[in-house]
Amino acid sequence: MKAVVYEGPGKISVKEVSDAKIERPTDVLVRITSANICGSDLHMYEGRTDFEPGRWFGHENLGQVVDVGDGVDKVRVDDWVVLPFNIACGHCKNCERGLTNYCLTAQPEPNLAGAAYGFADMGPYGGGQAELLRVPWGDFNCLRLGEDAEERQTDYVMLADIFPTGYHATEMAGVQPGDQTVIYGAGPVGLMAALSATIRGAGKVMVVDRHPDRLRLAESIGAIAIDDSKVDPVQAVLDETMGLGADNGCECVGYQAHEPGGEEQPNLTMNRLVASVRFTGKIGNVGVFVPQDPGASDELAKQGKLAFDYGMFWFKGQHIGSGQAPVKKYNRQLRDLIAAGKAEPSFIVSHELPLDQAPEAYEHFDKRDDGWTKIVLHPSMAGAGA
């Protein structure tokens, strides 16, 4: 089968690899029809993680079932399914608590928790930017889709990661009807957080970024765009909230946050959130931070540490929730919102491309080129995409 294979920092290729196949009775084999490029793929693409050359990417996956193991009871051949990026067993201590993002069974390293498709430090599993994908514990991990799945793939594929991840940010931030919510980062996850805050009834949603194409998308769903290359974003939030600060906020950037001039400052968005959110407010952090980052710009960041404004955070009595999203906690209800026409997360999609165009797609997305806001790869697509 063809797959998007990592060759080294800044270099990928589309090449033939061994076909994914049923390996255990509980496996499901899926023919991938849509696989997104995620912002967290770029950490690996840029060589900022220990992702091994020769492996292939892809943790935002949707497709049609082509085979099932003998131990699969629910999922059937020809079902359309979307796969949470979390690979989870469903029966360990964390899974039983709904924390499928920290499954203890799927992660082979005993001192770690959590597994994913085609991702550094999250198990040996193949990614879905390929023609086929093996899904372990298929009955548990497959979310079946309705009759509109094929024609609405660009909506439903967002259930694999970014829509539930954006929603998780608002859940940890405690967004409630009428709230004033600030979101740092208008990449795909930040835009999904903005959409989620709107769905949850926030009265005012403010989105901080500096890329015009992303800010336009935020405005298209009713959010207030704040360009931090033109204004002080903290002051802008205070001005929008009568000087009190937002009720809550979401961090959707992560450890590669940087100033408008391009200088990396990993603590930038977290400290701005402390300053932007009111006394006793909540912050949801889903932007990726890592235990170590040898490619960082300063010694603290190389050790996975931040100069965090903890004194002000404590003084304001704020709370932070952090970590990867437990996708299964949200994906069924979000699927039903899509099916009912109440949510259309595909508004962020800028390009639909065949798998063979993945190298140029990664290059454009990594450079944050204007207009490249979200890319969906279609392994079965022939020729040039939109």
Side-chain angles (χ1 to χ4, degrees):
M1 68 178 186
K2 286 184 177 180
V4 177
V5 177
Y6 177 63
E7 306 282 6
K11 185 178 180 182
I12 60 168
S13 62
V14 179
K15 60 171 59 174
E16 296 285 338
V17 300
S18 298
D19 282 354
K21 61 183 186 296
I22 299 292
E23 298 179 16
R24 299 179 63 186
T26 51
D27 288 350
V28 165
L29 188 65
V30 176
R31 176 179 62 87
I32 296 298
T33 58
S34 292
N36 298 341
I37 299 177
C38 180
S40 54
D41 288 328
L42 298 181
H43 304 314
M44 297 179 287
Y45 173 74
E46 294 170 0
R48 296 288 286 268
T49 68
D50 58 358
F51 196 71
E52 305 92 341
R55 293 186 64 190
W56 50 97
F57 296 135
H59 61 271
E60 298 187 19
N61 307 309
L62 177 150
Q64 193 168 24
V65 176
V66 292
D67 197 7
V68 300
D70 292 339
V72 174
D73 295 320
K74 179 178 66 175
V75 178
R76 298 283 182 263
V77 171
D78 293 333
D79 281 351
W80 284 88
V81 295
V82 61
L83 298 319
F85 80 87
N86 320 116
I87 300 174
C89 70
H91 53 71
C92 71
K93 182 176 182 177
N94 284 344
C95 285
E96 286 179 350
R97 296 177 176 182
L99 301 174
T100 54
N101 44 339
Y102 295 109
C103 177
L104 299 169
T105 308
Q107 170 55 256
E109 292 292 333
N111 60 330
L112 299 177
Y117 303 99
F119 210 92
D121 298 320
M122 299 195 72
Y125 306 98
Q129 291 174 17
E131 293 176 313
L132 294 168
L133 179 69
R134 171 189 168 236
V135 180
W137 299 285
D139 274 336
F140 185 69
N141 287 304
C142 291
L143 179 68
R144 293 183 294 175
L145 302 171
E147 295 179 353
D148 61 347
E150 185 172 8
E151 58 267 30
R152 298 191 64 190
Q153 291 183 56
T154 53
D155 281 317
Y156 287 119
V157 72
M158 303 306 166
L159 294 169
D161 179 357
I162 61 169
F163 194 9
T165 293
Y167 194 89
H168 185 53
T170 64
E171 176 79 3
M172 292 190 294
V175 177
Q176 297 189 36
D179 278 355
Q180 298 175 318
T181 301
V182 61
I183 294 160
Y184 276 86
V189 169
L191 290 169
M192 290 297 100
L195 176 63
S196 298
T198 302
I199 289 170
R200 294 171 72 105
K204 178 179 287 189
V205 179
M206 298 156 280
V207 178
V208 179
D209 204 292
R210 65 191 63 122
H211 295 278
D213 53 347
R214 295 177 172 186
L215 291 172
R216 285 193 298 269
L217 288 173
E219 289 178 326
S220 76
I221 57 170
I224 296 168
I226 297 174
D227 185 340
D228 73 346
S229 69
K230 297 179 179 178
V231 300
D232 176 350
V234 173
Q235 188 58 52
V237 173
L238 295 175
D239 290 344
E240 288 284 350
T241 57
M242 297 186 296
L244 298 174
D247 293 299
N248 37 57
C250 300
E251 199 289 327
C252 301
V253 179
Y255 72 106
Q256 288 183 268
H258 54 277
E259 293 279 11
E263 179 184 353
E264 272 198 17
Q265 191 175 330
N267 60 354
L268 181 66
T269 48
M270 289 303 299
N271 287 341
R272 281 180 168 175
L273 273 162
V274 170
S276 299
V277 172
R278 66 174 173 82
F279 280 71
T280 73
K282 291 184 178 180
I283 297 168
N285 163 219
V286 293
V288 173
F289 288 86
V290 292
Q292 54 191 16
D293 177 22
S297 56
D298 65 74
E299 290 305 314
L300 271 182
K302 288 178 181 179
Q303 302 172 60
K305 299 176 182 178
L306 300 179
F308 180 55
D309 289 343
Y310 189 80
M312 184 57 70
F313 170 75
W314 184 93
F315 184 69
K316 295 177 80 171
Q318 294 172 338
H319 294 76
I320 289 181
S322 65
Q324 294 182 346
V327 171
K328 280 187 65 69
K329 182 177 180 181
Y330 312 112
N331 65 352
R332 189 177 297 272
Q333 68 197 61
L334 297 179
R335 175 201 65 185
D336 293 345
L337 286 174
I338 292 172
K342 302 295 186 181
E344 295 183 3
S346 63
F347 79 93
I348 67 171
V349 174
S350 58
H351 294 77
E352 297 182 64
L353 301 172
L355 202 66
D356 288 341
Q357 291 187 23
E360 65 184 77
Y362 266 89
E363 184 177 353
H364 285 293
F365 194 44
D366 188 50
K367 292 178 179 177
R368 277 70 170 175
D369 285 342
D370 188 68
W372 290 77
T373 52
K374 186 65 174 177
I375 303 155
V376 183
L377 299 174
H378 298 295
S380 60
M381 178 187 283

